[in-house]
Amino acid sequence: MRVLVARQDNIGDVLLAGPAVRAVAGRADEVVLLCGPRGRAAADLLPGLDGVIEWCAPWIDPDRVPVERDDIEGIVRRLRGFDRALILTSFHQSPLPLALLLRLAGTPWIGGISEDFPGSLLDLRHRPGEDMPEPLRMLALAEDAGFPAPADTRLRVREPLPDTDHLTGGPGYVVVHPGTSVPARAWPPQRCAEAVRLLRTAGRRVVVTGHRDEKELTASVAGEDGLDLGGRTSLAELASVLRGACAVIAGNTGPAHLAAAVGTPVVSLFAPTVPAARWAPFGVPMALLGDQMAPCKDSRARECPVDGHPCLASVRAEEAAAAVEIVASVEEVPAR
């Protein structure tokens, strides 16, 4: 049985699909993931995959992606030969555009979560009965499709990870990750820098991480008190750095989910533009900071719609530093 699992969007979205991918891998002979370019690096870290198809879907990518006949015909050709397909989506997305392309590719059985009537596009129309974390929502679709959940439903990455002790000086530090892919979800940089200083004053080593496009930000946040690794790690190396931390301070962004995938506690600076019940770090000790009833609640805004960014600007550095001490001392969270 050759199965295609689709999970597009960003790094965090792909990591959250990990339990569902492992469920499919437990029964299928071959599992291939369809992902977008923004999530490709995370796809390469998922256990259970035999291959990856990368394609930028015009109905998924936040930038304006042109719809071109040659591109559509090309992806239909690449999608041929699968016995089954599971389309994993966020709660605000539809599986139906991709289901149509899979039908054109000749896929005989397709499952997805759909509020819209799917007609002949889906063989399994899964409809979750309750609000739940995104990993469990996607896993529920896999289970309904006949792929039992793995014994451990937490997020995982492919082993082995590279050794990064030469970058960090060994485990036991706190990671502060100030950047986010969506500006509305970022804790203000000055608060991040204050947290670095407070943690260092308390005797903690602090490592500041970020993408290569965030070097100016990470340098500013690290200052003289933190170790700046901005732009110095691949995603696999970042996973290794996060694994060596006793706790991670991050916004609602991919590295927060990557920290969860390596079992590291997270202090989540969470803007309520999307529900924390769905998108908070999953399966690890976690402290949720931020006003979850702020005016931006459930807006899915990419840029903060409220002057002063009150949902996260109201969180003091002292609160984040105190939360580090709490989550770092919590025993491991049991699997589902």
Side-chain angles (χ1 to χ4, degrees), residues 26-205:
R27 286 271 177 98
D29 299 304
E30 182 181 358
V31 184
V32 175
L33 182 77
L34 173 66
C35 70
R38 297 173 188 269
R40 175 56 193 265
D44 291 334
L45 290 180
L46 285 189
L49 288 178
D50 300 295
V52 177
I53 297 174
E54 180 184 325
W55 182 64
C56 189
W59 61 89
I60 295 289
D61 198 273
D63 293 334
R64 188 172 178 81
V65 178
V67 180
E68 299 178 348
R69 181 182 296 274
D70 288 347
D71 184 46
I72 298 298
E73 291 176 348
I75 189 60
V76 168
R77 287 193 296 270
R78 295 173 70 190
L79 293 176
R80 289 174 182 159
F82 290 98
D83 303 298
R84 288 188 166 207
L86 286 181
I87 305 173
L88 308 180
T89 51
S90 298
F91 71 98
H92 57 275
Q93 296 171 339
S94 170
L96 300 185
L98 180 56
L100 177 60
L101 299 188
L102 287 163
R103 286 296 190 219
L104 292 175
T107 308
W109 191 96
I110 304 169
I113 298 173
S114 183
E115 292 300 324
D116 298 322
F117 176 63
S120 59
L121 296 181
L122 295 179
D123 298 281
L124 170 63
R125 180 192 185 188
H126 180 79
R127 303 179 77 177
E130 60 181 274
D131 201 18
M132 63 180 70
E134 285 291 304
L136 297 184
R137 181 176 180 273
M138 290 185 275
L139 184 59
L141 170 61
E143 290 181 293
D144 202 10
F147 301 100
D152 187 347
T153 60
R154 286 170 288 202
L155 309 188
R156 290 286 181 252
V157 294
R158 190 186 297 269
E159 301 287 350
L161 292 174
D163 185 352
T164 51
D165 283 356
H166 64 288
L167 294 175
T168 63
Y173 44 84
V174 176
V175 166
V176 175
H177 188 91
T180 61
S181 60
V182 176
R185 300 176 188 170
W187 199 28
Q190 65 271 23
R191 292 282 195 271
C192 296
E194 291 169 12
V196 170
R197 290 193 294 271
L198 283 172
L199 290 164
R200 185 59 183 159
T201 299
R204 294 283 192 181
R205 286 188 296 133

Side-chain angles (χ1 to χ4, degrees), residues 16 85 154 178 186 190 221 226 242 250 268 274 293 308 324 333 335:
L16 292 173
R154 286 170 288 202
Q190 65 271 23
V221 168
L242 295 173
S268 177
V274 294
M293 300 307 295
V324 164
V333 174

